[in-house]
């Protein structure tokens, strides 16, 4: 194969051509990993992948996360593979999720800038998102990315020095509240960020694949470890505002079913864009998530805030509910 990369932005994102997904080899994956180290986001058109080949291809990038902890809590998976995360606007019956519904609230956090799984002890590395069906063109539903390496580079030195020691405490419940501040269901005490273990990661990190420094920030970030919440959130919002300026962002529009986007969560942020399709047309997207295998993958999470050990199968703290559902000795 002759693989080519066509940049879509001045600092990151590239559209890739020349990849034969029916004849994938470790050498091709190595080339694509180098492309991800350079561009952070790679876009592929008309891949021809289905659920099985999507999962098989993803495994070539590393160990995959799965939805088993959520299934054990009763979440219904409409898809055939546990390695597929359903990030569609479709419920378990196959119907379009209505704006304002519980399902919609729980997924609406995807529409604000974040990185996948920063709220888990072991964070996500690569995400591979495949299109199965699209809403009509012009009705929204694309993806927007932000270049968090360039955002770090452009910070003044005083700010870099100030934030260098910060460890951020990430919570999926916090980002849900940010995205849907008036949702009644999120007022339930069980959705308080403090009611669950946090994912703890430094905000300033070296991106090991490229050697560049990175601003590891997301709307999951609830507070700075050791700080009071109100002041933390002011500082975090300033960093998010900086990293999501138009000069650091690039929107990827879907064109066809089986389009694929791969991104590196350890050097980019992303969000799904809303539009007229919301509540009207199906947007069927399925994501595989490759665990980060860098030296920073576990952040400051080897021991949880409750002193709980990390479950090495589910990558959750043993003190968290999914790990208590499964007999602990079976998978630590």
């Amino acid at each position: 194969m002759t693989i080519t990369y066509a940049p879509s932005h001045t600092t990151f994102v590239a559209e890739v051509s020349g990849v034969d997904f029916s004849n994938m080899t470790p050498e091709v994956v190595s080339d694509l990993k180098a492309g991800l180290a350079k561009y952070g986001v790679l876009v592929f058109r008309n891949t021809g992948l289905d659920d099985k080949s999507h999962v098989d291809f993803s495994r070539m990038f590393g160990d995959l996360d799965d939805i088993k902890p959520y299934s054990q809590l009763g979440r219904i998976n409409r898809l055939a593979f546990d390695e597929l995360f359903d990030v569609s606007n479709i419920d378990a019956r196959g119907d379009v999720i209505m704006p304002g519904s519980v399902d919609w609230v729980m997924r609406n956090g995807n529409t604000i800038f974040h990185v996948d799984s920063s709220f888990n002890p072991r964070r996500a590395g690569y995400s591979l998102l495949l299109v199965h069906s699209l809403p009509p063109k012009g009705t929204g539903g694309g993806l927007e990315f932000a270049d968090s390496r360039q955002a770090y580079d452009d910070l003044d030195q005083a700010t870099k020095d100030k934030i260098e020691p910060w460890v951020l405490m990430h919570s999926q419940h916090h980002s849900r509240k940010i995205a849907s501040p008036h949702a009644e269901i999120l007022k339930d005490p069980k959705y308080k960020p403090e009611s669950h273990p946090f994912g703890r990661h430094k905000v300033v990190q070296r991106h090991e694949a490229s050697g560049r420094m990175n601003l590891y920030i997301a709307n999951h970030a609830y507070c700075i470890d050791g700080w009071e919440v109100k002041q933390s959130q002011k500082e975090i919002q300033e960093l998010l505002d900086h990293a999501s300026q138009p000069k650091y962002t690039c929107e990827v529009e879907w064109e066809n079913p089986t389009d694929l986007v791969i991104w590196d969560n350890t050097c980019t942020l992303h969000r799904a864009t809303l539009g007229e399709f919301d509540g009207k047309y199906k947007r069927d997207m399925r994501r595989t998530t490759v665990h980060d295998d860098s030296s920073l993958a576990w952040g400051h999470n080897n021991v949880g805030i409750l002193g709980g050990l990390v479950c090495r199968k589910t990558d959750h703290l043993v003190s968290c509910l999914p790990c208590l559902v499964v007999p602990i000795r079976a998978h630590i």
Side-chain angles (χ1 to χ4, degrees):
M1 302 182 200
T2 301
I3 301 174
T4 59
Y5 299 87
S8 304
H9 185 272
T10 55
T11 65
F12 77 138
V13 186
E15 192 157 321
V16 186
S17 58
V19 176
D20 180 0
F21 285 89
S22 68
N23 184 31
M24 194 54 55
T25 66
E27 290 74 21
V28 172
V29 172
S30 179
D31 193 314
L32 296 179
K33 284 184 176 180
L36 283 162
K38 180 176 182 179
Y39 294 107
V41 181
L42 300 181
V43 182
F44 306 80
R45 304 297 183 184
N46 289 309
T47 65
L49 294 171
D50 58 16
D51 282 345
K52 184 179 185 305
S53 54
H54 179 192
V55 172
D56 291 343
F57 172 59
S58 302
R59 287 193 193 284
M60 300 183 75
F61 286 82
D63 295 333
L64 298 185
D65 198 357
D66 61 53
I67 65 162
K68 290 177 182 176
Y70 306 101
S71 299
Q72 290 156 0
L73 290 174
R75 181 185 295 181
I76 298 172
N77 181 18
R78 69 182 181 91
L79 307 178
F81 294 87
D82 287 335
E83 294 83 3
L84 292 175
F85 286 75
D86 189 356
V87 290
S88 309
N89 67 339
I90 303 168
D91 65 20
R93 299 181 301 274
D95 298 327
V96 174
I97 293 170
M98 291 294 104
S101 67
V102 171
D103 283 345
W104 185 89
V105 168
M106 292 303 173
R107 301 181 191 213
N108 198 38
N110 291 328
T111 64
I112 56 178
F113 276 115
H114 63 285
V115 296
D116 291 334
S117 301
S118 64
F119 45 81
N120 285 338
R122 188 182 185 185
R123 65 184 184 175
Y126 305 124
S127 292
L128 298 87
L129 185 64
L130 184 70
V131 176
H132 282 253
S133 66
L134 289 167
K137 286 188 179 297
T139 61
L143 281 178
E144 188 175 17
F145 292 91
D147 186 349
S148 49
R149 287 181 294 188
Q150 190 61 47
Y152 176 83
D153 288 348
D154 291 348
L155 288 172
D156 61 77
Q157 191 58 49
T159 302
K160 290 178 180 178
D161 292 341
K162 179 179 74 171
I163 68 175
E164 196 282 330
W166 291 358
V167 174
L168 300 187
M169 301 167 69
H170 294 251
S171 165
Q172 187 177 31
H173 298 309
H174 174 62
S175 55
R176 284 170 173 164
K177 289 175 184 289
I178 294 294
S180 304
H182 304 298
E184 285 297 320
I185 188 173
L186 297 180
K187 296 177 183 178
D188 189 313
K190 71 181 179 181
Y191 294 113
K192 291 179 63 176
E194 299 90 345
S195 299
H196 303 269
F198 291 99
R200 296 164 177 254
H201 300 276
K202 285 201 68 176
V203 68
V204 176
Q205 303 184 358
R206 184 174 297 280
H207 180 248
E208 293 179 355
S210 64
R212 294 178 61 190
M213 298 303 295
N214 180 62
L215 187 65
Y216 192 69
I217 188 73
N219 271 290
H220 299 315
Y222 176 61
C223 65
I224 303 164
D225 198 3
W227 288 43
E228 69 92 23
V229 173
K230 185 176 181 180
Q231 182 60 29
S232 290
Q233 292 182 355
K234 177 179 180 294
E235 298 280 359
I236 289 168
Q237 190 59 53
E238 288 178 359
L239 289 178
L240 284 167
D241 289 345
H242 168 73
S244 59
Q245 293 179 79
K247 63 182 177 180
Y248 302 129
T249 63
C250 179
E251 186 165 358
V252 174
E253 294 286 354
W254 303 107
E255 294 181 0
N256 315 282
T258 80
D259 283 358
L260 172 74
V261 177
I262 308 176
W263 65 88
D264 184 345
N265 288 283
T266 68
C267 67
T268 62
L269 297 90
H270 66 280
R271 66 177 176 183
T273 60
L274 287 174
E276 296 177 7
F277 80 94
D278 194 27
K280 297 179 182 178
Y281 304 104
K282 291 184 178 180
R283 177 186 183 271
D284 192 344
M285 306 281 171
R286 305 171 191 187
R287 189 193 78 220
T288 54
T289 308
V290 181
H291 287 307
D292 183 21
D293 63 0
S294 75
S295 67
L296 302 171
W298 291 84
H300 287 235
N301 295 299
N302 287 331
V303 177
I305 58 173
L306 302 179
L309 297 175
V310 170
C311 165
R312 297 287 171 167
K313 181 172 181 179
T314 66
D315 297 326
H316 287 70
L317 296 173
V318 171
S319 58
C320 80
L321 187 55
C323 294
L324 294 178
V325 172
V326 180
I328 290 172
R329 284 180 292 183
H331 60 257
I332 289 181

